[in-house]
Amino acid sequence: MANSVDSEGMSHDKQGERMTNVDIDYIRRAVQYSDLAALRVAAYQASKDEELRAFGPVKTLTPEDKEALIEKLTNLLHEKIDSLTLNVPTDDELKDLMFVAFGQETNTAEDFAIRKELLSFKDWPFLKFWPEGMGKKDVPKDFSVAIIGGGFNGIATAVQLEQLGIPYTLYEKRHELGGTWSINKYPDIRVDTMNASYEFVFDIKHKWSEYFGRGAEVRQYLEDTTKKQGVWPHVRLEHALKEARFDETAGIWHLTFSKPDGSTVTSQANIIVSASGLFANPKKPQFKGQENFKGMVVHPTEWPVGMSLKGKKIAVLGNGSTGVQLLKVVAAEAEQVYVCQRTPQWMGARDKYGAPMEPEIHWLNENMPGYWNWCRFTAIMHLFSYHQDYLIPDPEWQAKGGGISPMSDAVRDILITYIKNETNNRPDLYERLIPDYAPMLRRPIVDNDWYKTLTRDNVELITEDIVGLGENTIKFADGTEREVDMVVTATGFDILKYLWPAEYIGRGGMNLHERWAEEDPRAYIGMMVPNFPNLFIMYGPNSQPVSGGVALPTWYQMWAGYVAMAAMHMFKNGHKTVEVTEKAFWDYNNLMDEEGRKLALVTDKNQVESNYYINKDRMQVNCPWEVKQLFAMFNELKHDDLDFA
Ligand SMILES: Cc1cc2nc3c(=O)[nH]c(=O)nc-3n(C[C@H](O)[C@H](O)[C@H](O)COP(=O)(O)OP(=O)(O)OC[C@H]3O[C@@H](n4cnc5c(N)ncnc54)[C@H](O)[C@@H]3O)c2cc1C
């Protein structure tokens, strides 16, 4: 539900949608269930009640003070909620409110710039709009954009273009939209970041059933968004891009799609936005003897939805996000489960993970001005970290025998205690579960009772290497084997296969996959490659910041905004193409590699040779920039880096 917008582009909750006739007990429950830090600052913003400010940040409160704050907020909402409106703050007021929320000054102008957008008091943050005097009328006749992929990124781009009135078609190879959330239907799949941060800012306050949305609900949300935002009529399902070939004379891309019946369809577009997903190609290990195995080998992307696991003996390989999500449900149903672990992972609990969202919280979202915005802010700031805290080694600390840094070691200690508690202090388990590298060097994982599940009678943790499959067994390096009738390979995705298997042929017949085979998948700001004019990659090589996020959907909107800026610049100056220069591409990539080498996740000796984050000696998914730096890169075109023609 977008808010209404006044003449200054500022949003206000729609009074007409308020539902304030609830009793004080209902309100008290709402306050108790709430994100208290968010509610306190939202209530202060709306009421300017100085008593709220005087409490100080919620994380510093004693239990008694917390109770007093709950009582204060309950009474305030009970007495005044009808009169509270969203006072959209000036920049100075906003800085002050951020201080009220966390008790910390916002360090720099760049930090403030992105935090302000994240709060989303203005509608359509991150997306771009026509400059003064320009509009739809400036789009050249017959101009069109082809968006490849109907996941979050494709949909973000489509909404951006829809807003501007730039013609586009969104092609999706599957029978439905949703991307990741359509492809993955394994047990207990859900997001591991809070919904408030995993929503588009143009479709907020969705009535999620749980705080961390389940996969099917996220998929439905995406489809509903396309319908609400007018994108649906531009969607072509069951169109798999097979080849995109650039026509240098005409300055357009020729596209060939395959259909499920084997036929092909052709089309053309001025710009291609390839949003075909980082997780499009499952990694499926091949086992020695697999041809004689009588059971099933299943990658989670091919989960046999509805199949009973009762009486089954199952080996689960992989303890990344997917393996960790599905284990609890699999172990509760199967007769016996063998958890095969190669490398231990750092996992932690996340508050409200798996918990239903109470109706009282939906009520707060709808009725308490600013509550959603501050919830989003606290959810995102929770994900946010600075390099120096976890990734840049502190030599003084190391000289005293410390690990990477004091913060890194503190988190390590907390997580070790957590692992021991969850495994009932069983050394036979926890000694094999504690990683020998520091936290945050790999993607942190949210524990879906994975450690607890290992303590079940029908679950065995195995850390021996797998050497093959027998007719009905899985075999290990120590010579033992276990009887199994199903092997779940939660072994992830081949993430280096960006845009695979579609072929992209650029200037002079250059093949993108051949170029990348020689020099690793690389792109300028994760999006552009020389000799491939008018091709923008969403979630391309090194496109997410390693310092933690501002939640991925925020980046998707920024990337969409970048494409829009480039297109509008072309229209303004009568250009047909935009392309990154070879020099800018290499300057960017060399600097990125140099900065990357300062971070412990590239240099740490305890790291295995290669993992999801690292390929040989460089990062592959992440980039070393701080969030604010990356935000600045996507916020404007660097004309010296780009050739417009
Ligand atoms: C199991 C799992 C859990 C995740 N959980 C989280 C989470 O909790 N929080 C988070 O922030 N992120 C999470 N992610 C990352 C998640 O993938 C992204 O947040 C987001 O969904 C990516 O959107 P996308 O549009 O880039 O790609 P996708 O969602 O992968 O969509 C790409 C689409 O392109 C289509 N496509 C591919 N090739 C072609 C072609 N040649 N022609 C036409 N269509 C094509 C695909 O079918 C797909 O529908 C998770 C990923 C996985 C795999």
Side-chain angles (χ1 to χ4, degrees):
M1 182 189 70
N3 296 333
S4 63
V5 182
D6 71 10
S7 57
E8 292 174 309
M10 297 301 182
S11 63
H12 301 272
D13 273 9
K14 288 182 190 164
Q15 297 292 317
E17 292 184 10
R18 288 202 172 188
M19 184 192 71
T20 53
N21 54 343
V22 292
D23 65 24
I24 191 158
D25 292 334
Y26 188 93
I27 294 178
R28 183 172 289 106
R29 285 199 303 280
V31 176
Q32 283 164 340
Y33 302 152
S34 74
D35 172 341
L36 208 52
L39 185 56
R40 170 177 162 266
V41 67
Y44 176 70
Q45 179 181 352
S47 67
K48 289 286 171 293
D49 184 327
E50 289 301 321
E51 265 187 51
L52 287 170
R53 183 182 189 114
F55 272 95
V58 167
K59 66 171 189 254
T60 64
L61 297 185
T62 61
E64 295 74 32
D65 284 349
K66 213 167 170 179
E67 277 310 309
L69 175 62
I70 290 172
E71 230 20 60
K72 167 80 195 168
L73 286 164
T74 304
N75 292 327
L76 183 99
L77 265 56
H78 185 235
E79 286 158 22
K80 297 206 174 145
I81 194 149
D82 282 330
S83 63
L84 295 180
T85 52
L86 188 68
N87 300 319
V88 176
T90 62
D91 284 0
D92 284 344
E93 283 167 344
L94 199 50
K95 281 179 199 161
D96 184 53
L97 288 167
M98 289 175 190
F99 179 77
V100 171
F102 295 114
Q104 279 171 351
E105 301 287 351
T106 308
N107 292 336
T108 62
E110 292 84 5
D111 269 326
F112 178 70
I114 181 146
R115 288 173 193 207
K116 179 180 170 182
E117 292 282 298
L118 287 172
L119 270 162
S120 310
F121 286 123
K122 193 171 158 233
D123 278 344
W124 306 101
F126 302 112
L127 297 192
K128 299 291 180 215
F129 291 89
W130 291 107
E132 191 71 34
M134 281 187 78
K136 225 164 128 168
K137 62 177 177 22
D138 296 297
V139 181
K141 193 171 164 289
D142 298 331
F143 184 93
S144 72
V145 179
I147 301 169
I148 312 300
F152 256 101
N153 267 302
I155 294 168
T157 311
V159 171
Q160 166 72 85
L161 297 177
E162 181 69 28
Q163 281 299 311
L164 294 173
I166 299 176
Y168 64 93
T169 306
L170 186 156
Y171 299 97
E172 165 55 51
K173 73 175 174 189
R174 292 173 63 76
H175 63 286
E176 62 180 10
L177 292 178
T180 290
W181 308 104
S182 158
I183 297 163
N184 291 279
K185 295 189 170 157
Y186 59 80
D188 243 17
I189 176 165
R190 60 161 83 77
V191 293
D192 59 14
T193 38
M194 272 230 185
N195 296 330
S197 64
Y198 203 70
E199 280 180 338
F200 284 127
V201 284
F202 45 77
D203 193 0
I204 62 171
K205 301 185 185 176
H206 181 77
K207 284 197 170 164
W208 297 102
S209 313
E210 297 184 11
Y211 282 91
F212 293 78
R214 285 186 179 268
E217 203 173 345
V218 178
R219 197 211 72 76
Q220 193 59 50
Y221 165 80
L222 287 171
E223 186 173 315
D224 292 348
T225 295
T226 55
K227 290 178 179 163
K228 274 193 232 166
Q229 302 293 341
V231 168
W232 187 250
H234 306 268
V235 172
R236 303 286 173 272
L237 296 173
E238 299 189 329
H239 279 67
L241 180 73
K242 212 170 136 193
E243 186 191 88
R245 187 173 284 273
F246 187 66
D247 176 337
E248 293 187 51
T249 315
I252 54 167
W253 285 91
H254 295 288
L255 311 171
T256 309
F257 297 91
S258 47
K259 302 272 296 158
D261 63 6
S263 61
T264 55
V265 176
T266 58
S267 177
Q268 58 187 45
N270 301 74
I271 288 180
I272 306 185
V273 178
S274 189
S276 52
L278 180 61
F279 306 102
N281 295 291
K283 215 191 244 174
K284 297 181 185 172
Q286 287 302 307
F287 303 99
K288 202 170 156 210
Q290 189 166 340
E291 62 287 0
N292 300 320
F293 181 57
K294 295 225 163 72
M296 303 167 77
V297 179
V298 175
H299 190 275
T301 50
E302 298 160 343
W303 193 265
V305 178
M307 189 185 83
S308 168
L309 302 179
K310 278 208 168 60
K312 288 210 177 329
K313 298 188 178 77
I314 303 176
V316 177
L317 279 55
N319 54 350
S321 298
T322 294
V324 169
Q325 273 184 335
L326 58 76
L327 183 69
K328 178 167 74 171
V329 177
V330 169
E333 203 182 335
E335 181 182 318
Q336 177 67 38
V337 176
Y338 303 105
V339 176
C340 305
Q341 173 188 275
R342 194 175 60 180
T343 312
Q345 303 269 13
W346 289 112
M347 294 176 213
R350 202 155 281 176
D351 193 27
K352 301 204 166 153
Y353 187 77
M357 259 181 112
E358 303 85 353
E360 288 87 345
I361 292 298
H362 293 308
W363 175 83
L364 262 188
N365 266 334
E366 298 221 334
N367 292 287
M368 179 61 220
Y371 177 66
W372 177 88
N373 307 70
W374 286 102
C375 270
R376 172 176 162 76
F377 193 71
T378 57
I380 290 176
M381 292 313 287
H382 176 76
L383 301 173
F384 197 91
S385 67
Y386 287 96
H387 287 160
Q388 61 268 29
D389 294 340
Y390 299 104
L391 302 176
I392 298 185
D394 174 343
E396 265 182 47
W397 182 252
Q398 291 185 317
K400 285 188 238 155
I404 290 176
S405 65
M407 286 266 283
S408 170
D409 283 3
V411 170
R412 183 186 170 90
D413 291 346
I414 291 169
L415 292 177
I416 289 175
T417 306
Y418 177 75
I419 296 172
K420 289 183 175 172
N421 286 343
E422 291 294 293
T423 53
N424 302 335
N425 275 304
R426 276 177 49 185
D428 63 310
L429 289 176
Y430 70 70
E431 281 175 2
R432 291 185 292 160
L433 295 171
I434 298 173
D436 59 2
Y437 55 90
M440 308 297 278
L441 298 192
R442 290 168 162 233
R443 188 179 193 270
I445 290 171
V446 177
D447 180 21
N448 187 24
D449 289 339
W450 190 81
Y451 294 121
K452 256 198 192 104
T453 305
L454 296 180
T455 66
R456 287 177 63 109
D457 290 342
N458 68 335
V459 176
E460 182 187 351
L461 173 68
I462 300 176
T463 48
E464 286 293 322
D465 285 347
I466 297 164
V467 291
L469 297 177
E471 269 192 17
N472 49 14
T473 59
I474 181 163
K475 301 179 180 182
F476 298 96
D478 62 359
T480 63
E481 51 190 317
R482 308 286 188 284
E483 203 181 302
V484 286
D485 32 29
M486 183 169 175
V487 176
V488 177
T489 53
T491 40
F493 298 85
D494 200 339
I495 48 177
L496 286 182
K497 285 189 167 169
Y498 287 96
L499 311 193
W500 185 264
E503 296 285 1
Y504 288 79
I505 314 294
R507 278 191 204 283
M510 183 183 282
N511 181 311
L512 186 58
H513 294 303
E514 284 171 13
R515 176 173 183 146
W516 279 346
E518 274 173 34
E519 63 195 29
D520 279 352
R522 290 177 181 272
Y524 166 78
I525 62 170
M527 295 183 95
M528 298 165 91
V529 183
N531 289 306
F532 293 85
N534 295 5
L535 169 64
F536 295 89
I537 306 165
M538 309 296 267
Y539 219 161
N542 303 100
S543 56
Q544 67 185 22
V546 72
S547 58
V550 288
L552 284 170
T554 311
W555 296 113
Y556 308 156
Q557 292 157 134
M558 281 188 225
W559 299 334
Y562 187 88
V563 175
M565 272 191 307
M568 289 189 285
H569 187 79
M570 284 162 68
F571 304 151
K572 188 173 173 194
N573 298 287
H575 298 309
K576 274 187 164 176
T577 56
V578 54
E579 185 179 347
V580 62
T581 66
E582 195 78 39
K583 178 178 179 325
F585 172 86
W586 279 113
D587 285 352
Y588 177 85
N589 273 278
N590 290 335
L591 186 62
M592 186 168 65
D593 289 351
E594 195 183 313
E595 288 297 311
R597 282 191 289 272
K598 295 178 187 162
L599 303 180
L601 81 169
V602 177
T603 55
D604 188 79
K605 297 285 174 289
N606 287 330
Q607 275 283 71
V608 282
E609 206 171 88
S610 132
N611 67 59
Y612 166 58
Y613 274 0
I614 305 296
N615 172 36
K616 289 173 263 176
D617 59 348
R618 59 183 299 269
M619 284 183 271
Q620 55 194 7
V621 177
N622 294 311
C623 55
W625 320 121
E626 295 282 0
V627 165
K628 59 190 175 195
Q629 294 172 301
L630 202 53
F631 172 59
M633 288 180 206
F634 294 127
N635 210 20
E636 60 180 340
L637 302 173
K638 271 197 181 163
H639 291 278
D640 289 349
D641 292 353
L642 304 172
D643 264 345
F644 284 93

